Amino acid sequence: MTHERQQQNPAGAQSQSQPLPPTSPAMGAATGAPAPGGDGTPRGPAKRILLIAALVAGVVAVVLGMLVGPQRQALGTQTSGDEALAARVVDAVGGHGGFRSVVVAEVTPEGTTWAGVGKTGEGRDGPAPTDETLYELGSVTKTFTASLFADAIDRGEVTAEDPLSAHIPELEGTPAGEVTLASLAQHSSGLPRLGPTFAVESLAASLSGGNPYGPQTTEVMIQDAAAAPVDPAQGPVYSNLGVALLGTALTNAAGADSYPALLEQWVLGPVGMESTSIATTEAEVPADTTPGFLTNGIPTDDWWGEGYAPTGSSTTTTVADLAAWASANLDGTAPGVASLEPTAQFAEGSEIGWIWQTTQVTNPTATSNPSLTWHSGGTGGFASVVMLDREADRAVVVLGNTQQIVDPIAVSLLTEAEVPDLGAQGSLLLWVTFGFALIASGLALLFAFRSKAALPIVNWLLLAASGLVSLWFAGPWAAVGGWAFGLALAPALAAVVVGVLRSPALRFQPKRWAWLSWVGLAIVLVILVATLLVV
């Protein structure tokens, strides 16, 4: 009856008692189901629900950042060794972040003094390092290779102008085979920093704090060198590949079984560096090496490997051994001490001998501005430096177990110069990275609320991802903690939640200018890949 009366109603009006059609907007509101838009697409959740979801996601992101995000590294209060030297180290470091522990030795005509400051181990607490605590040495190992080179020249095994192919026959007929040993020791050979294949293969390990050098055997390194471009016109370029080849050439020229065996015979043994070793395999890494950390506080893997061992990829040592090395170079008892003498210009204000650099200090806060002969080093989670004031017969060596450079500490101890704000080194760029990540995340959230298509939201989320990856590895973590990462992550995570909740109501691509969104997708993918390559 009701249906018949409805059909007879000339105005087409429904009776108030008539059930509402299931597609009625009122029914959608009453049941909570999404109502259709003008084009038939279901509408998304109410704005209030989206705002609550975004707020919850943002809070979760900040909490996650504080709990598992990058953590500010700060020097602990633990000390060991000479109290006066420890106090000078603490004064030099000040409140600057980026350190967990440093151990220092000062060599003077009166003898050697050492001090450790901060905590070793992975926990929040741990003992201070001692003069026997093992650290990864990094590129200071190149000074050992320099001495081997000078010593080999003295013994008549090589000459400075020998082509590389004279001692590595596999490179005969290649551009790398024509460079001289001297050019390798002066970083002027024209070789790139790393072998071309290795430069690509090492990216994943570098991102994760892993060991990039493990797969690089001497054979693989030589094969990579055979394919490497050589551009002598590029000027001095610091080349790990070049020093790796130099060490291999010296090993072959001496008829040694391996680079570690050559080093033990001519450097480590004569100087008495009993705690220094080269790990060409993972099993050879000393079990009691203190752990190292990325700038963001993530522990790193041990470094080891054969091919790049002459460059410092695989060396562990103690500050006691390193002080003995500095002392032997000061008093002339080190083998190949001629390597210290400058032989060429390296950079403005800096000369180079066989690998060792000599630089005139020009710090207005220093009590003196001597010429310092030095070399620094670093691995995935360690930093090191040996610095000699040859005129004053003094030296300072420093080892640290984070990526924060330790060179300024050595300069300060030798010249009483003020240490620059180590936590602020490159801070503008680091804070720009934070700003980029935060803005990209914020725009992703804005589009998640306002866009009628999914593709633009995806584009902004990918851009935010590139910003967050950059921030993770290159953020201001010497100054702030994980809350800053969480703050930048919050809008992006909220955008993901809002986008998922709105997805039933979104078309995939915009109705107009869809091609522009596809171009944008290509651009942000390039940015994301480039970010992964750079960091």
Side-chain angles (χ1 to χ4, degrees):
M1 292 292 296
T2 303
H3 179 60
E4 291 175 357
R5 286 198 299 271
Q6 179 182 336
Q7 289 180 327
Q8 295 171 358
N9 188 331
Q14 290 182 328
S15 167
Q16 291 184 355
S17 61
Q18 174 66 25
L20 295 173
T23 58
S24 165
M27 175 64 75
T31 62
D39 58 358
T41 304
R43 291 177 181 169
K47 189 174 183 180
R48 182 181 64 180
I49 295 176
L50 296 178
L51 287 172
I52 293 174
L55 181 61
V56 171
V59 172
V60 169
V62 173
V63 172
L64 284 175
M66 296 174 65
L67 294 178
V68 298
Q71 299 300 312
R72 182 178 185 268
Q73 303 301 292
L75 197 64
T77 58
Q78 301 92 328
T79 63
S80 61
D82 186 79
E83 293 183 1
L85 180 57
R88 289 169 59 201
V89 172
V90 171
D91 184 60
V93 173
H96 307 321
F99 300 99
R100 288 178 69 92
S101 73
V102 294
V103 60
V104 176
E106 185 174 34
V107 180
T108 69
E110 289 74 36
T112 298
T113 307
W114 69 272
V117 181
K119 55 186 178 296
T120 58
E122 294 191 17
R124 294 184 178 272
D125 297 311
T130 73
D131 60 337
E132 294 300 329
T133 300
L134 287 170
Y135 285 73
E136 289 181 1
L137 181 59
S139 287
V140 174
T141 304
K142 292 181 174 71
T143 65
F144 305 161
T145 304
S147 291
L148 288 173
F149 181 39
D151 208 31
I153 292 174
D154 290 342
R155 295 195 305 271
E157 293 175 352
V158 302
T159 72
E161 297 307 313
D162 282 352
L164 192 53
S165 60
H167 303 289
I168 305 180
E170 297 94 326
L171 296 179
E172 183 73 40
T174 69
E178 297 177 5
V179 305
T180 66
L181 301 186
S183 70
L184 296 173
Q186 295 167 333
H187 292 298
S188 60
S189 66
L191 285 165
R193 180 175 178 272
L194 297 170
T197 303
F198 177 46
V200 175
E201 292 176 348
S202 65
L203 289 173
S206 299
L207 287 172
S208 63
N211 169 30
Y213 288 96
Q216 292 295 305
T217 63
T218 299
E219 180 181 1
V220 169
M221 185 271 296
I222 292 174
Q223 291 173 354
D224 213 9
V230 175
D231 180 15
Q234 71 184 354
V237 171
Y238 189 90
S239 175
N240 279 341
L241 176 61
V243 178
L245 291 167
L246 176 60
T248 301
L250 296 174
T251 301
N252 292 345
D257 292 336
S258 64
Y259 176 81
L262 180 70
L263 190 64
E264 179 64 35
Q265 179 182 359
W266 293 107
V267 174
L268 302 183
V271 178
M273 301 170 66
E274 297 180 356
S275 297
T276 302
S277 62
I278 306 287
T280 59
T281 66
E282 187 173 11
E284 294 174 352
V285 176
D288 53 348
T289 303
T290 194
F293 296 84
L294 297 175
T295 302
N296 57 18
I298 303 300
T300 58
D301 291 344
D302 296 324
W303 276 23
W304 51 270
E306 179 192 37
Y308 281 77
T311 73
S313 66
S314 320
T315 311
T316 54
T317 192
T318 65
V319 80
D321 273 15
L322 210 54
W325 176 238
S327 180
N329 277 281
L330 284 176
D331 64 23
T333 60
V337 73
S339 62
L340 296 168
E341 301 300 330
T343 56
Q345 191 73 20
F346 184 67
E348 185 177 354
S350 185
E351 297 177 296
I352 191 169
W354 300 145
I355 295 176
W356 287 94
Q357 293 184 48
T358 298
T359 304
Q360 178 73 45
V361 176
T362 56
N363 192 321
T365 67
T367 57
S368 62
N369 287 289
S371 290
L372 300 177
T373 301
W374 62 280
H375 206 291
S376 60
T379 63
F382 294 84
S384 60
V385 69
V386 174
M387 200 165 286
L388 314 176
D389 182 347
R390 298 171 67 194
E391 291 186 6
D393 198 23
R394 298 177 61 215
V396 168
V397 300
V398 187
L399 297 170
N401 67 333
T402 67
Q403 293 178 314
Q404 182 66 280
I405 62 171
V406 295
D407 308 30
I409 298 174
V411 173
S412 177
L413 294 175
L414 284 170
T415 69
E416 298 184 12
E418 293 181 6
V419 173
D421 186 355
L422 299 176
Q425 289 188 4
S427 61
L428 178 59
L429 180 60
L430 299 178
W431 282 107
V432 166
T433 304
F434 171 75
F436 169 69
L438 184 61
I439 291 171
S441 292
L443 289 171
L445 181 58
L446 178 65
F447 271 75
F449 271 106
R450 302 190 62 177
S451 178
K452 295 181 180 179
L455 188 56
I457 302 174
V458 171
N459 288 351
W460 283 106
L461 281 172
L462 288 174
L463 188 62
S466 68
L468 290 167
V469 169
S470 298
L471 183 61
W472 181 271
F473 290 100
W477 310 127
V480 295
W483 63 266
F485 185 83
L487 190 63
L489 174 64
L493 186 58
V496 171
V497 172
V498 171
V500 169
L501 291 176
R502 290 192 62 215
S503 59
L506 298 174
R507 63 180 68 93
F508 180 70
Q509 63 182 19
K511 277 188 173 182
R512 300 179 60 189
W513 305 97
W515 65 270
L516 192 59
S517 292
W518 286 105
V519 170
L521 177 63
I523 291 173
V524 295
L525 284 175
V526 168
I527 292 174
L528 181 58
V529 171
T531 299
L532 294 174
L533 293 177
V534 169
V535 300

